[in-house]
Amino acid sequence: MYDDMDVGYRITAVALGIDAFERKEQQGTGSLDTEGLIPIYLGGDMVAPCQYTRWQAVQDDLDALTLQVAACPETSRRLFLKALLRSLRTAVDLFQGKTSSFAYRLENLVGVPAAPADDVVIAALREEIDLALVRRKIVRGSLAERVANWQTSKFIPIDHLEREYTQLQEEAVRRTAETVFDVGDFRMRLSLRPGTHSAGRCNFNEATMEINTDIGCTRAALKHLVTHENFPGHATQLLYTLDAFKRGAAPADILLCTLNGIPGVIQEGIGDQATEIIDWVEDDDDVIQIALRRLRIAVATTASWKLMELHEDEESVVRYIKETGFAIDPYVDGRISQAKHVYRGPFNASYYYGNQAVRTKRLATPKEKYAEFITYLYGRMHSLEGF
């Protein structure tokens, strides 16, 4: 008899064991540096990790789990578990120094199609930005010049970021409590970090929201960072999944929501759809920011494909990101650096495919079933195929 709670516990124990063994073997010098397979884990000692001293023992446990998962009666759950096992196998291969193509890692490590983003989507997003800028009466110059003019006219002075961030975070917390999950008194402190490769990131372990001041930040961009990284995005998902496991509402693998593998796709989809999930699109500035974000993650997906699978020269790929996605150097440097990373490279595509998947399902959900959609979205782990 198939027992999903038991399988969830076992697969989590194996993943934790892989994480611990990789950290011990690589000492922070491997393909994931010090981040590890599971960067943030809130389960404490609720799941006992498997103890490994050789990689073959990991493969043996994954083989045994594959046989168990084949008996899972629910299609979407079975698809996720099979994808997770493929992802773990691919991660283990990379940890052992085995090589594979970029396309293979897209399909097996990340769990997305081995393909660039859809050019039709990219063209539609550029048109959406154009129309919103026209409504904002920003009509002179090329589309790239108009985007730059809009951004620079909206930049928040650095000494005002703290106040604006606090206001946005409190409203995000309120809306998240109404729609997704009450995070109580938990908050993320602002940390200004120039010189990083991303616009911002959630450092949950230190309860800080890091923002790259080199890129410049509009209110709409800051709102995106607050919702994507904090509420109802990554920080909320971590708190929600821990609560679900403690209540017995989900198997232990829900605690693997930050695992560098299959779960990352829908995790990033939640982040990039976060402002819309809590119904917080206020004006055309938000419309432009959301479309610009969607455009850039689509462009980054295609750029990674061009660079790593088609082996186009880096200069032409950089030019493509700048001209098609209206991106500036710190962002471009970050996308190129990630694309070339042996492990993290294919995860550029997780944002694009995750956003498309969560957005499609959100828009298809009638109002009376929205609470069910939220429970489904946050209350279990997903693969792109199973979702």
Side-chain angles (χ1 to χ4, degrees):
M1 179 72 70
Y2 177 81
D3 184 340
D4 196 54
M5 299 298 274
D6 178 65
V7 168
Y9 186 97
R10 288 175 181 271
I11 206 166
T12 303
V14 169
L16 290 170
I18 294 170
D19 178 69
F21 186 41
E22 188 273 340
R23 291 175 189 272
K24 180 181 176 182
E25 286 280 290
Q26 306 292 347
Q27 294 292 312
T29 64
S31 56
L32 281 174
D33 308 316
T34 59
E35 186 174 274
L37 178 67
I38 309 170
I40 305 170
Y41 179 73
L42 302 186
D45 58 1
M46 290 186 285
V47 176
C50 293
Q51 302 296 316
Y52 295 119
T53 57
R54 56 192 182 92
W55 289 115
Q56 185 56 51
V58 176
Q59 298 288 4
D60 292 344
D61 283 350
L62 291 174
D63 288 344
L65 279 164
T66 299
L67 294 176
Q68 285 187 277
V69 165
C72 178
E74 183 191 344
T75 301
S76 63
R77 175 67 174 162
R78 185 172 65 253
L79 287 170
F80 164 71
L81 291 171
K82 289 172 70 174
L84 179 57
L85 289 171
R86 282 198 307 273
S87 187
L88 290 173
R89 287 183 191 279
T90 308
V92 167
D93 285 346
L94 289 168
F95 295 155
Q96 294 179 88
K98 296 180 181 179
T99 59
S100 56
S101 70
F102 187 74
Y104 180 87
R105 283 175 281 138
L106 280 169
E107 291 180 331
N108 293 280
L109 180 65
V110 186
V112 298
D118 189 338
D119 285 338
V120 173
V121 171
I122 290 174
L125 288 167
R126 287 171 61 94
E127 182 178 3
E128 185 177 346
I129 292 166
D130 180 24
L131 293 173
L133 288 169
V134 169
R135 291 195 296 271
R136 276 289 190 222
K137 302 191 184 325
I138 303 174
V139 296
R140 298 183 63 180
S142 67
L143 185 53
E145 291 169 335
R146 291 158 62 204
V147 168
N149 289 340
W150 169 76
Q151 287 182 308
T152 54
S153 71
K154 298 288 182 178
F155 280 155
I156 303 168
I158 291 177
D159 59 350
H160 292 178
L161 278 172
E162 181 83 46
R163 181 184 64 195
E164 196 72 48
Y165 171 82
T166 300
Q167 292 173 352
L168 288 169
Q169 179 168 235
E170 289 309 311
E171 178 61 14
V173 166
R174 185 188 70 79
R175 288 174 177 264
T176 298
E178 289 180 351
T179 308
V180 181
F181 184 73
D182 187 347
V183 300
D185 295 332
F186 183 83
R187 299 292 186 273
M188 300 287 284
R189 300 183 308 277
L190 182 64
S191 174
L192 303 180
R193 296 284 299 276
T196 60
H197 283 321
S198 62
R201 75 182 188 97
C202 166
N203 187 336
F204 187 89
N205 290 332
E206 296 182 14
T208 57
M209 166 68 203
E210 299 174 357
I211 291 179
N212 183 358
T213 53
D214 291 341
I215 293 178
C217 207
T218 66
R219 182 181 183 277
L222 185 58
K223 180 196 285 189
H224 165 78
L225 291 172
V226 167
T227 57
H228 181 116
E229 303 292 345
N230 301 357
F231 315 111
H234 298 333
T236 302
Q237 189 181 14
L238 281 159
L239 296 170
Y240 188 110
T241 51
L242 177 62
D243 178 74
F245 178 67
K246 284 182 174 180
R247 289 187 289 108
D253 58 87
I254 199 171
L255 299 170
L256 301 177
C257 63
T258 72
L259 184 141
N260 280 309
I262 288 289
V265 179
I266 300 304
Q267 180 202 30
E268 295 300 350
I270 290 172
D272 273 338
Q273 283 288 296
T275 302
E276 292 123 309
I277 284 172
I278 55 174
D279 191 23
W280 199 14
V281 179
E282 298 175 279
D283 53 29
D284 275 324
D285 287 338
D286 285 341
V287 171
I288 295 168
Q289 176 61 40
I290 290 168
L292 191 58
R293 168 65 182 177
R294 290 181 61 208
L295 173 65
R296 285 174 175 164
I297 60 179
V299 167
T301 298
T302 295
S304 299
W305 181 260
K306 287 172 176 284
L307 185 67
M308 302 307 298
E309 186 64 24
L310 303 183
H311 305 294
E312 295 185 12
D313 67 277
E314 187 173 321
E315 184 178 344
S316 69
V317 174
V318 166
R319 188 165 57 249
Y320 168 76
I321 299 173
K322 289 182 175 181
E323 293 177 356
T324 310
F326 316 125
I328 61 176
D329 286 338
Y331 177 86
V332 176
D333 293 344
R335 295 311 93 201
I336 293 293
S337 176
Q338 177 163 329
K340 291 159 69 174
H341 193 280
V342 66
Y343 196 107
R344 297 188 182 95
F347 284 91
N348 267 335
S350 65
Y351 300 89
Y352 170 72
Y353 287 106
N355 184 290
Q356 294 285 90
V358 176
R359 182 174 185 269
T360 299
K361 193 170 284 289
R362 177 182 62 80
L363 291 174
T365 301
K367 187 175 182 180
E368 64 273 15
K369 291 188 176 295
Y370 200 72
E372 294 177 26
F373 164 67
I374 293 296
T375 301
Y376 174 75
L377 181 62
Y378 285 81
R380 60 190 292 173
M381 290 291 93
H382 304 278
S383 64
L384 182 64
E385 183 183 13
F387 189 78

